[in-house]
């Protein structure tokens, strides 16, 4: 092999070996000395940031000692780990990186076959190839793999702190390290004795700190609890502090201590003697407890909510409060159900409402809470307001004697039920007396209960109460269950009258209109006209009663609107109905029908005006009205689905029921006509001939698809109402939206079940939709009340009560012929008839020949009234 290429290869190889050799040194140094240079980096970062100048001397010396210990550990670690590399190791590292280890190969000598020309040729070729491979030799970089020796990455933390200190600190501070331990050897010593001081008021006051070096001697006012911090520089005793504001006793630091801190607790003086002497007369401003007082009487707002305005004042801010309500037994009328001692006499404690935004040092708010269901409702109590500030000082108002204002019931039976409920919650020993009074009320129910369902609910509550008494005691669960049932019954009795009267008037108007279109006889029209008169009179009476119950506030608001609305008297309505009857008697049916439509429109407008009186048109009222209308439509749709389900199991059910109603109403033709017209399934002629049920059944042949389409339309209408709902926040607003979304989902499921002809499942989903609608309306009323919409909350509960009245276990109004408002039983004992119907339902629910769907529905119906 020629000498020149071999020498060139050796020169290049020597260069690569040198580079690898240096890399080995770097690798060995890093592996051995990383703890030492990490400790050095940490100490340099500490110094560059100047922490040794601001931290206490003890901490600074601790850092120095710790750094020294880390350095000693680093030296010991390096002595154990460090091994000096050699050039041969560098050469071997390069050789190991080349394929076939060519460097070792060229250093080998041919051991055998030297005299064989062929063997020498092979050896020469082998050596040539190895030299060719050596030409590709390159230096090997160091392999510093510290992760297994430093699993927590402490070296990275040290380097990061060093980089931060070099960016935000100064390397010139390295020269001040020698001054550690000699605190006054620098500029402070050269400047002579001096001092610095601050006064920091409590954070909750929001007042700025005071730098005493910039305040001239004299008077100084600071809040109690302010912290005074003083630092003295120079020789010990050159500057001293004298103060009488901290009221400290016992172990007190020296007046010449380099650093002093204390709090201002009283009036006094603060003086500094020595260099730049100064003295202040400190006035300690006391943090007074907050004050809170009612600013108006206790009143009842919409929905029976207790309201009482109050005002709270504090030096800085009120952070919390409470309202304490205690029963005043001395002022209570301790007769009847209140003669016994109350079982629970614990005070009612409610958080004090605070402003969500704005200042809390002086504000006015209104305490709102619904106590209508509490046993102390409308009883004499004492109310006390408490307010607390940041310093945990509590101020209170004097106890005020008031009545716990709550909802009042004007329906006599509802008021009686509420009073009996209060007696039950007052003391369970009132149970026998309550049962006796309930039996007395229900002994002659004629004229007291306008709906059979209300009477049955009343009797169910009585039966449950007597069962609990026979068992020996009324436990807590039974007490709460009975109280809740009595409350629901009272709401139904109180709020359901107007809605029922309106439904009867609408039904009478529809029947009369249908009769005129179908050419009914004069006798039938006269009878229907009389029925309309009675329904209208009942509605007007209920409307007037509700207006009286709403109080003077709503009356004043209505008086303000009288100039913009048309006023009608009872005589005006009678004149309009007389005119309609006169036109019909003259055979002018087209004009009579037009007059009837105008009468219907006028009554609807009057109803809307009445519902909106006192607060005017607003989105909340419109939303509540729309949801109430949707609920009524859903109930009607559910009724039709139920009738279809009955016909599936018993095709003769409609005709049998029609015949039974005809017998009780006193005329076969009359009963059939009402059924056909009330359900919109027949005409007047077929009704008079007793064949209204046949026409109704004929329509049902395609009614299933129609029901599904109507359910779809109702669902879309609800979705549109949700988009138009007012934006209401808080928990009630969110609960309202969730309930309405649930109602929409249930309607969609009911629509799908109707398309699949699964009427039983559709009824369940429709009942779920109505429950969600009622819940949504209740939450909407609560949200509107919180948002200041006034009477809307009460309107929501009235609409909800109208939706609940007379409902069966699936949440539907029990319609059919009785929905017309006509008393089909007339002189027969309606309550005896109700018991007979319950017995028949029990018999049918146990009939194994009937389908499981029908028996399941009947069992749910029984659970409603048993």
């Amino acid at each position: 092999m020629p000498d020149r290429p071999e020498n060139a290869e050796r020169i290049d190889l020597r260069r690569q070996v040198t580079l690898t050799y240096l890399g080995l040194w770097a690798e060995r140094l890093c592996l051995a000395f990383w703890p030492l240079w990490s400790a050095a980096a940490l100490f340099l970062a500490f110094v560059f940031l100047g922490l040794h100048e601001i931290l206490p001397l003890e901490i600074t010396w601790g850092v120095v000692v710790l750094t020294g210990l880390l350095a000693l550990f680093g030296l010991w670690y390096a002595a154990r780990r460090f091994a000096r590399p050699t050039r041969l190791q560098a050469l071997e590292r390069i050789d190991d990186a080349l394929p076939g280890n060519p460097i070792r190969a060229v250093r080998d000598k041919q051991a055998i076959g030297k005299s064989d020309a062929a063997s020498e040729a092979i050896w020469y070729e082998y050596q040539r190839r190895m030299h060719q491979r050596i030409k590709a030799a390159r230096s090997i970089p160091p392999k510093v793999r510290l992760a297994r020796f430093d699993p927590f990455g402490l070296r990275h933390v040290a380097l990061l702190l060093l980089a931060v200190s070099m960016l935000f600190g100064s390397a010139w501070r390295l020269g001040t390290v020698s001054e550690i331990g000699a605190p006054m050897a620098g500029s402070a010593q050269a400047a002579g004795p001096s001092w610095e001081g601050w006064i920091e008021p409590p954070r909750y006051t929001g007042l700025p700190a005071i730098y005493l070096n910039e305040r001239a001697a004299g008077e100084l006012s600071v809040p109690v609890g302010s912290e005074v911090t003083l630092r003295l520089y120079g020789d010990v005793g050159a500057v001293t502090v004298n103060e009488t504001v901290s009221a400290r006793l016992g172990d007190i630091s020296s007046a010449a201590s380099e650093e002093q801190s204390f709090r201002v607790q009283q009036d006094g003086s603060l003086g500094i003697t020595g260099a730049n002497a100064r003295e202040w007369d400190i006035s300690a401003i006391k943090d007074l407890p907050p004050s809170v007082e009612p600013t108006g009487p206790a009143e009842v707002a919409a929905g029976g909510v207790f309201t009482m305005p109050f005002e709270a004042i504090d030096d800085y801010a009120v952070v919390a409060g409470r309202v304490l309500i205690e029963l005043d037994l001395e002022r209570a009328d301790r007769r009847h159900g209140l003669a016994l001692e109350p079982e629970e006499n614990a005070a009612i404690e409610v958080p004090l409402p605070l402003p969500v935004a704005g200042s809390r040092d002086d504000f006015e708010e209104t305490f709102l809470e619904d106590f209508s269901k509490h046993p102390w409702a409308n009883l004499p109590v004492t109310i006390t307001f408490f307010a607390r500030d940041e310093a945990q000082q509590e101020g209170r108002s004097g106890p005020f004697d008031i009545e716990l204002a709550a909802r009042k019931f004007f329906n006599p039976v509802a008021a009686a039920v509420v009073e009996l409920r209060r007696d039950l919650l007052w003391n369970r020993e009132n149970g026998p007396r309550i049962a006796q009074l309930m039996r007395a009320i229900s002994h002659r129910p004629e004229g007291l209960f306008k709906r059979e369902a209300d009477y049955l609910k009343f009797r169910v509550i009585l039966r449950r109460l007597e069962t609990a008494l026979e068992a020996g005691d009324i436990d807590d669960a039974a007490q709460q269950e009975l109280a809740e049932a009595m409350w629901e019954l009272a709401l139904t009795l109180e709020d359901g009258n107007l809605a029922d009267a309106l439904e009867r008037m609408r039904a009478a108007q529809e029947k009369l209109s249908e009769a005129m279109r179908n050419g009914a006889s004069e006798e039938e029209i006269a009878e229907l006209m009389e029925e309309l008169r009675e329904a209208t009179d009942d509605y007007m009476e209920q409307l007037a009663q509700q207006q009286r119950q709403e109080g003077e506030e709503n009356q004043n608001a209505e008086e303000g609107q009288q100039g913009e609305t048309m006023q009608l008297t009872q005589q005006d309505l009678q004149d309009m109905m007389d005119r309609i009857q006169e036109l019909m008697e003259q055979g002018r049916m087209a004009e009579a029908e037009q007059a009837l439509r105008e009468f219907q429109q006028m009554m609807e407008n009057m109803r809307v005006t009445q519902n909106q009186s006192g607060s005017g048109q607003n989105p909340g009222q419109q939303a509540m009205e729309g949801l109430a209308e949707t609920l009524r439509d859903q109930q009607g749709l559910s009724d039709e689905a139920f009738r279809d389900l009955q016909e599936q199991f018993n095709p003769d059910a409609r005709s049998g029921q029609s015949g039974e109603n005809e017998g009780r109403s006193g005329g076969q033709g009359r009963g059939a006509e009402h059924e056909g017209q009330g359900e919109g399934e027949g005409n007047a002629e077929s009704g008079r001939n007793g064949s209204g049920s046949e026409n109704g059944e004929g329509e049902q042949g395609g009614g299933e698809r129609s029901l599904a389409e109507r359910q779809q339309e109702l669902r879309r209408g609800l979705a549109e109402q949700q988009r138009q709902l007012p934006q209401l926040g808080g928990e009630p607003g969110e609960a309202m939206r969730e309930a309405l979304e649930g109602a929409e989902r249930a309607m969609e499921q009911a629509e799908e079940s109707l398309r699949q002809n699964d009427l039983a499942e559709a009824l369940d989903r429709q009942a779920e939709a109505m429950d969600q609608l009622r819940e949504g309306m209740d939450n909407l009323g609560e949200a509107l009340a919180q948002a200041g919409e006034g009477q809307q909350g009460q309107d929501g509960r009235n609409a909800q009560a109208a939706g609940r009245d007379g409902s069966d276990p699936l949440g539907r109004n029990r319609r059919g012929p009785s929905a017309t408002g006509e008393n089909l039983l007339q002189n027969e004992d309606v309550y005896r008839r109700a018991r007979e119907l319950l017995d028949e339902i029990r018999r049918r629910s146990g009939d194994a020949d009937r389908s499981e769907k029908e028996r399941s529905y009947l069992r749910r119906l029984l659970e409603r009234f048993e």
Side-chain angles (χ1 to χ4, degrees), residues 715-757:
R715 175 176 60 82
R716 291 175 178 174
L718 178 60
E720 180 64 26
Q721 291 178 19
Q722 291 184 68
R723 286 190 289 270
Q724 297 177 0
L725 283 174
Q727 295 296 326
L728 298 172
E731 184 176 348
E734 183 65 27
M736 171 201 67
R737 285 185 284 273
E738 292 179 359
L740 295 182
E741 290 173 0
E744 185 178 355
R745 287 193 299 270
M747 287 182 178
E748 185 176 5
Q749 295 169 358
E751 176 190 339
E752 184 65 24
S753 298
L754 288 171
R755 295 189 187 280
Q756 297 175 0
N757 200 24

Side-chain angles (χ1 to χ4, degrees), residues 593-723:
E593 188 172 357
Q594 177 63 27
L596 179 60
R597 282 197 297 269
E598 294 175 356
F599 178 79
Q600 292 173 336
Q601 185 64 36
M602 183 199 64
M603 296 302 295
E604 287 294 324
N605 292 339
M606 183 178 65
R607 180 178 67 88
V608 171
T609 302
Q610 187 273 334
N611 284 339
Q612 297 175 346
S613 63
S615 58
Q617 284 279 2
N618 58 61
Q621 290 176 332
Q622 296 174 3
M624 188 66 74
E625 286 292 333
L627 292 177
E629 187 66 27
T630 301
L631 178 59
R632 285 192 293 269
D633 293 343
Q634 182 62 76
Q635 287 174 329
L637 196 60
S638 182
D639 289 339
E640 295 188 29
F642 176 64
R643 285 195 294 270
D644 288 354
L645 180 63
Q646 283 182 314
E647 290 185 357
Q648 284 185 359
F649 298 117
N650 187 5
D652 299 330
R654 181 183 298 274
S655 59
Q657 181 181 2
S658 175
E660 183 180 359
N661 290 340
E662 291 164 5
R664 289 196 299 270
S665 61
Q668 180 177 0
R670 171 78 175 131
E673 177 195 6
H674 282 182
E675 180 174 352
Q677 294 173 356
E679 298 175 356
E681 298 173 353
N683 53 40
E685 185 63 26
S686 62
R688 286 191 297 271
N689 294 331
S691 59
S693 61
E694 295 177 3
N695 289 335
E697 185 175 346
E699 282 191 14
Q700 292 298 337
E704 295 172 6
R705 184 180 60 185
S706 177
L707 289 178
E709 292 174 355
R710 289 165 59 189
Q711 184 69 72
Q712 181 184 33
E713 181 181 356
L714 198 60
R715 175 176 60 82
R716 291 175 178 174
L718 178 60
E720 180 64 26
Q721 291 178 19
Q722 291 184 68
R723 286 190 289 270

